[in-house]
Each structure stands twice: as C-alpha cells, then as structure tokens.
Amino acid sequence: MSFRTTALSAALVLAFLTSAQAQQPALQPAATPPLTIACSGPFAKESSHARLQQAFGAQVVAIQKVDGAEGETFEASVLYRSEPARRLEVTWHDDKKRSGLSAASVKTPSTWTGPEGIRIGMTLDEVAKINGQPFRLNGFEWDYGGYVVDLKGKLASLPGGCGMTLRFSPGMALDAKKHAGLIGEKKLSSSDAKLLAVKPVLVSWSVGYGE
C-alpha cells in the first residue's frame, strides 16, 4: 500500500470518528437538587446526615456549629454553608448518629421554598391565608420576638407528619411609644389591624418533627 493510500485511509477514519462524536449528545452536568423542602425524601422524619449527602453531594453538606437562642451554640448539618441565599441548617434527634430529623431551618435571605409555597419575605397576611386561619405570635424586640406560638391550620400539620415554625419581623422601624402594644412578651393575633399596619414579613422558618 502506497503512502498516499495510507494517508487517505487515515483521513477517512478520522472523518468518520469526528462525525460520530458530533452526533453524540453532549454530557450534561449533574442536576442541582431544587431548593425545596417537603416532609419527605431527604427531609423525611427518618432522614440523616448521610442521606443529605447522598441527595445534595458530600461537598455541599458539612457539620458546623450554629447559633441558637439566648447565645446557645450547637452542631448541625449545614448545606451550602458559605452561600447565604442557599444556606440550610438541619438538626437531629440523635446527635451522635446524626439521624432522625428534628428541624430544617432557613432565614433571610434564603431562597428555599417550603411546604405550601412558604418562603422568606412573605407578608403576615399571605402566610395567614395559606394557613387557612389566623394564629398568634409573640410581640417583637426580644429573644423570642415575632415567633408564631399558636399555629393551627394547614401549616401546623403537614403531609408527612411535620409542622412549621415561623418567625416574623416588622417591615418598618417600631416607635417605642406608638407601637408599645406590639413590643415585648405579649401575644398578638395575626389578624390584628395594628400588627398588620407595621407590615410584618417572614424572616425565618423551619419544618420539623417532634420526638
């Protein structure tokens, strides 16, 4: 076989391989799980740290100390720990095994969506409408200020057996005299006109399971 014939054959083989490769679909990167929390899947009652890593990737889920109430700190499984908009903190009933989901919690500026479409930035009135009935919450400007304390309705017991914890913050600065009735250790109704007038918004929420 002449050199010219060999070169021609090699060119034809190369052309065929190039054509075949062009017809192959491009490899797509692994899909990023949606930022949605439901009382199932990786957020089911029997979930674990390992299950979160399987669902979101081991590089995304880490053990980290997080802040609790009254200066308390504790360890949690944290997703996207350096990204405020995607950060999610998960605590466990069994801290040693890191299993048995206790709560999955987010706060401003999170973009996670929860059951019934709950998300950071919703108004008090919007959440009450989703819930299907009014609820009570603490007055503002103390350690437990703005937390819903008497949640009944759709958000209190969700499919999958979990419930929600909600915290609101006024959408404007409160005046100590004018808004005295909304400040401190007292219970407020979500339907109170004076409360609605300060435009409370949802600043943190969580889904969780009792013992």
Side-chain angles (χ1 to χ4, degrees):
M1 182 180 292
S2 69
F3 174 78
R4 183 175 181 180
T5 302
T6 303
L8 179 60
S9 298
L12 289 172
V13 170
L14 179 61
F16 173 79
L17 292 175
T18 302
S19 176
Q21 290 175 349
Q23 293 176 21
Q24 294 295 322
L27 292 176
Q28 298 296 322
T32 300
L35 300 184
T36 303
I37 299 175
C39 307
S40 59
F43 303 107
K45 185 175 183 178
E46 66 276 10
S47 190
S48 64
H49 180 83
R51 190 167 177 181
L52 289 178
Q53 289 184 317
Q54 289 175 350
F56 294 92
Q59 74 280 7
V60 166
V61 189
I63 301 299
Q64 187 177 26
K65 282 196 173 182
V66 299
D67 295 328
E70 300 178 344
E72 177 188 13
T73 61
F74 53 91
E75 285 190 341
S77 299
V78 181
L79 281 69
Y80 305 107
R81 58 192 180 279
S82 60
E83 303 177 54
R86 297 205 290 173
R87 183 182 173 92
L88 173 69
E89 298 174 1
V90 182
T91 54
W92 309 101
H93 287 303
D94 188 331
D95 291 327
K96 291 184 179 180
K97 294 182 178 179
R98 298 192 176 104
S99 64
L101 197 147
S102 175
S105 309
V106 301
K107 59 185 177 181
T108 302
S110 174
T111 55
W112 285 82
T113 299
E116 303 298 331
I118 289 294
R119 62 187 183 278
I120 293 296
M122 277 187 155
T123 67
L124 180 61
D125 191 45
E126 286 175 330
V127 175
K129 286 178 180 177
I130 290 173
N131 189 52
Q133 66 183 78
F135 46 80
R136 294 195 302 164
L137 60 155
N138 286 331
F140 301 116
E141 299 189 2
W142 63 294
D143 283 348
Y144 297 99
Y147 276 105
V148 173
V149 292
D150 187 26
L151 183 62
K152 297 174 181 178
K154 187 180 293 186
L155 298 177
S157 182
L158 297 159
C162 69
M164 295 203 75
T165 298
L166 307 166
R167 189 179 196 181
F168 292 86
S169 182
M172 61 179 69
L174 299 185
D175 179 89
K177 291 184 179 180
K178 181 180 178 181
H179 300 114
L182 306 178
I183 297 172
E185 299 182 39
K186 57 196 66 175
K187 304 295 185 292
L188 310 171
S189 171
S190 63
S191 60
D192 187 324
K194 291 182 179 179
L195 175 60
L196 292 171
V198 301
K199 303 177 180 179
V201 294
L202 190 63
V203 294
S204 69
W205 59 267
S206 66
V207 298
Y209 304 86
E211 294 284 357

